[in-house]
Amino acid sequence: SQQGEEDPQALSIQEGENATMNCSYKTSINNLQWYRQNSGRGLVHLILIRSNEREKHSGRLRVTLDTSKKSSSLLITASRAADTASYFCATDGGLNSGYSTLTFGKGTMLLVSP
Amino acid sequence: EAQVTQNPRYLITVTGKKLTVTCSQNMNHEYMSWYRQDPGLGLRQIYYSMNVEVTDKGDVPEGYKVSRKEKRNFPLILESPSPNQTSLYFCASSSQGSYNEQFFGPGTRLTVL
């Protein structure tokens, strides 16, 4: 079952610009996580935001969560060519899930040009 | 170094030839899981394990088996691989299941001819 859906599917920007990716989901959650994947490699965890949090920062990353709209956004500020990657949001199954599963969206491909 | 390892990293095989992809983690995590990643479909969970001897199906378990005899290992078994199992496979682990961040292995690219 697909829970999170990222938007846009692809994003192309210049170095120094900000990149914003959005994630929408359908059911209640305990937490939402963002991951990065460089081409064909393993996913790397970026940020986890709990359902009772509204915003979190980590370096150049800012994540917001709006549980009333069932959506989250990932903002990368002052992007660099090294930020070129696919970005995925992942959601758990909410209160009744027993923390057993994490469902990933299809991802946003970000291309940062020098 | 905390890590999740997978072997092999690349495998080309033929239809029907049983194979096992190994996954091992050194972080003493209770939770381990397997995903497959296909173009346009994102990551889909195959099986997960909450602890030793506790496994359960994910979204796409058909054609796969798993076992969890030791905490650190979670092998993925394809008893009779078919071409539709050609994919990129990832193993992941975490403490407290989906409550916490997942640590992913480097991936295994499987081609079934």
Side-chain angles (χ1 to χ4, degrees):
Chain A
S1 57
Q2 206 74 35
Q3 169 79 303
E5 291 289 339
E6 293 90 346
D7 172 65
Q9 290 186 341
L11 181 60
S12 182
I13 60 174
Q14 300 289 121
E15 260 190 334
E17 294 180 339
N18 295 341
T20 299
M21 287 158 266
N22 302 298
C23 172
S24 60
Y25 57 93
K26 296 173 184 168
T27 63
S28 65
I29 60 171
N30 295 307
N31 70 69
L32 185 144
Q33 304 180 34
W34 284 93
Y35 290 81
R36 183 187 74 217
Q37 183 184 32
N38 290 89
S39 181
R41 300 196 174 185
L43 280 74
V44 174
H45 181 263
L46 296 175
I47 288 187
L48 181 153
I49 186 165
R50 306 265 181 224
S51 59
N52 62 350
E53 298 174 308
R54 292 296 167 258
E55 188 170 311
K56 244 183 160 175
H57 296 255
S58 176
R60 295 183 295 112
L61 305 180
R62 173 180 164 243
V63 167
T64 61
L65 178 65
D66 187 334
T67 53
S68 66
K69 295 181 179 178
K70 292 187 170 60
S71 67
S72 172
S73 67
L74 170 66
L75 168 67
I76 304 174
T77 60
S79 62
R80 306 165 181 168
D83 294 328
T84 294
S86 291
Y87 292 82
F88 295 87
C89 69
T91 52
D92 70 353
L95 286 173
N96 298 319
S97 69
Y99 305 122
S100 61
T101 60
L102 201 62
T103 304
F104 286 80
K106 296 177 183 178
T108 292
M109 290 181 58
L110 174 65
L111 174 63
V112 182
S113 302
Chain B
E1 180 192 353
Q3 60 181 351
V4 178
T5 57
Q6 294 179 227
N7 282 292
R9 295 289 314 281
Y10 303 90
L11 179 61
I12 300 174
T13 189
V14 295
T15 299
K17 186 176 181 182
K18 181 179 179 179
L19 66 93
T20 299
V21 184
T22 64
C23 173
S24 183
Q25 50 93 5
N26 63 0
M27 294 166 280
N28 202 36
H29 285 163
E30 292 82 15
Y31 179 88
M32 298 184 75
S33 63
W34 278 102
Y35 297 86
R36 61 178 289 174
Q37 185 176 29
D38 301 288
L41 296 177
L43 276 87
R44 294 177 293 167
Q45 192 178 50
I46 303 171
Y47 268 95
Y48 64 91
S49 170
M50 299 296 284
N51 214 324
V52 175
E53 301 291 2
V54 181
T55 63
D56 209 344
K57 297 175 181 178
D59 292 324
V60 288
E62 294 78 21
Y64 304 95
K65 285 176 58 178
V66 293
S67 68
R68 188 89 182 275
K69 294 184 170 57
E70 305 167 285
K71 199 171 189 179
R72 64 182 294 127
N73 297 322
F74 190 44
L76 179 69
I77 303 156
L78 285 71
E79 294 268 2
S80 183
S82 62
N84 64 11
Q85 293 179 297
T86 292
S87 187
L88 180 57
Y89 291 87
F90 290 102
C91 179
S93 73
S94 81
S95 60
Q96 293 187 288
S98 58
Y99 188 76
N100 287 336
E101 68 174 283
Q102 308 294 301
F103 291 81
F104 278 83
T108 295
R109 189 168 291 280
L110 172 65
T111 301
V112 183
L113 302 175

